[in-house]
Amino acid sequence: MRRFLFEELPAEVSKDEEYQNAKKYSDRQNARITFEKKLVDKFQEFIFDHTEAYRKFTDEPEFKTISYALGRVVLVIEYVRAGIYIPSARPLTTRYAIGFAIAAFFWLISASIPIPWRFGFWTVGIIIDFATPLIGRKFQLGLLPHASHLPERFGLFTIIVLGEAIIAVVNGVSEQKWDTLTVISGVFGLIIAFSWWWVYFDNLGGTPIVIARTHGKIGVVNLWLYTHLPLVIGIAAAGVGVEQILLSQPTLPLPDSQRSLICGSVALCSLAVSILHRFGVIRYCKIRSQYRLGGAVVLLAIAILGKGLLPVAVIALVAVVSAGQVVQDLYQSRPTTRLVDPEI
């Protein structure tokens, strides 16, 4: 495995025709992007071709932990390389490399630590990973990412997570005997996913990066980055909640845990989007922020007060709250209700 990762795999990628063309006819950055893409593709081919390695990756937590740690090591190497070739970025890349290297060390040694102590090492590693970008804030202003590229990357990641929510609906419906309540619940599950897709992507933009570049407010960029964590956690958990509802007994009251999961996860999404609106991280709009916050409160009320409701009733209420955010967004965007001042 070591020989493959550090000798055979890089050599094979270096011979790839697409990488050779990028190296010959494009700049250094595009060549590096092509190399990394081909590296991932070749490694995936190896994983699927070698069932034993694939089984270890999917079944053994130690193997997953080591794989994640090695992935962070690659990131550290990239930051070191960036510091070498871009002297002006060296103060920032050095801090990033040191911080992420320390986090990778905790992840790597955790593979040999028994559970539950292993989780403590994971927690320390995650905290270091999250704190590292914050300690280099004063060096980030001159090295801000592109105002459209990074939102597109985050949007791609978010839509992948939303896709998992759609898959959860499909899985839930496929494992149930089709009846009226199951079909209705499945439709409501899709409404929830599509509603938050609309709310997020209809307001997406590079505003935080522009604000940071023009006003020196790097905290806005960090708020944008870190608020995506509860957002995607909420979307992923909502997918699980929808699937559990579809797999539950449609004529029996929904258990408290499942009701709390679906309502709490969508409330987390609504709260995250409310924060993004309020601080101008996506379209700056106090009215939209208030509606998102109100939606989160209503969803939490359903979780607390909805004891005894049938699964279809719970998911219907969550879908109505989610769709209501779309209706409000559409109304707010009408020419007769849109204000000229961006600070609505």
Side-chain angles (χ1 to χ4, degrees):
M1 176 67 76
R2 182 180 301 173
R3 181 180 177 184
F4 171 78
L5 288 175
F6 297 104
E7 296 178 16
E8 297 177 4
L9 183 60
E12 187 175 350
V13 174
S14 298
K15 297 176 183 177
D16 184 85
E17 182 179 356
E18 184 177 345
Y19 169 66
Q20 288 294 334
N21 290 335
K23 185 178 179 182
K24 185 176 181 180
Y25 300 110
S26 188
D27 56 26
R28 184 190 298 271
Q29 182 179 2
N30 285 330
R32 180 177 62 83
I33 293 173
T34 303
F35 181 86
E36 292 173 353
K37 177 180 179 296
K38 289 298 177 181
L39 193 68
V40 172
D41 291 342
K42 295 292 183 183
F43 184 73
Q44 287 179 343
E45 290 178 9
F46 172 82
I47 287 290
F48 286 110
D49 290 341
H50 296 73
T51 55
E52 180 64 19
Y54 181 71
R55 185 190 64 80
K56 287 185 177 181
F57 184 77
T58 54
D59 295 343
E60 297 183 14
E62 293 82 5
F63 194 85
K64 290 182 178 180
T65 302
I66 294 173
S67 299
Y68 178 79
L70 292 177
R72 304 302 288 177
V73 170
V74 172
L75 180 65
V76 170
I77 294 172
E78 289 295 318
Y79 275 119
V80 171
R81 289 183 61 219
I84 293 173
Y85 289 105
I86 310 175
S88 61
R90 199 166 298 159
L92 179 64
T93 57
T94 300
R95 284 167 172 78
Y96 280 3
I98 293 173
F100 293 142
I102 295 173
F105 173 76
F106 276 95
W107 279 96
L108 192 60
I109 63 175
S110 71
S112 61
I113 305 297
I115 297 174
W117 306 110
R118 180 183 301 167
F119 300 144
F121 282 82
W122 289 1
T123 302
V124 174
I126 291 174
I127 291 174
I128 295 174
D129 274 336
F130 273 81
T132 295
L134 299 178
I135 63 175
R137 291 179 58 181
K138 65 179 181 179
F139 302 104
Q140 294 174 1
L141 277 176
L143 301 163
L144 290 169
H146 196 274
S148 61
H149 177 72
L150 194 61
E152 186 229 346
R153 295 292 92 192
F154 270 80
L156 178 61
F157 179 66
T158 304
I159 204 168
I160 289 173
V161 181
L162 280 165
E164 291 297 319
I166 302 297
I167 293 174
V169 175
V170 175
N171 289 338
V173 172
S174 65
E175 295 179 26
Q176 273 281 37
K177 180 182 178 181
W178 281 51
D179 56 29
T180 303
L181 292 179
T182 301
V183 173
I184 293 175
S185 297
V187 171
F188 283 137
L190 292 174
I191 290 174
I192 294 171
F194 288 133
S195 295
W196 291 105
W197 167 81
W198 178 283
V199 168
Y200 178 83
F201 283 98
D202 194 53
N203 298 281
L204 188 61
T207 304
I209 299 174
V210 175
I211 292 175
R213 185 172 285 121
T214 56
H215 297 83
K217 295 181 179 180
I218 195 66
V220 177
V221 176
N222 290 324
L223 177 69
W224 178 54
L225 294 173
Y226 286 98
T227 306
H228 275 80
L229 178 63
L231 175 63
V232 295
I233 288 176
I235 294 172
V240 176
V242 170
E243 185 173 8
Q244 288 189 357
I245 287 178
L246 294 174
L247 294 175
S248 63
Q249 293 295 328
T251 57
L252 297 178
L254 189 68
D256 294 344
S257 59
Q258 295 183 15
R259 187 181 68 254
S260 299
L261 175 61
I262 183 64
C263 294
S265 58
V266 180
L268 183 61
C269 295
S270 191
L271 177 62
V273 175
S274 174
I275 294 172
L276 296 178
H277 276 304
R278 182 62 184 84
F279 291 94
V281 181
I282 56 179
R283 180 183 301 179
Y284 180 54
C285 180
K286 293 180 181 179
I287 297 177
R288 283 182 172 87
S289 178
Q290 291 168 1
Y291 271 88
R292 308 298 179 256
L293 181 60
V297 173
V298 172
L299 289 165
L300 291 177
I302 296 171
I304 296 171
L305 305 176
K307 189 177 183 64
L309 291 175
L310 294 178
V312 67
V314 174
I315 197 171
L317 291 172
V318 176
V320 167
V321 174
S322 301
Q325 304 299 321
V326 176
V327 173
Q328 187 278 329
D329 197 81
L330 288 170
Y331 178 80
Q332 194 69 29
S333 300
R334 291 175 60 198
T336 55
T337 55
R338 186 193 300 124
L339 302 183
V340 176
D341 186 351
E343 297 187 2
I344 300 175

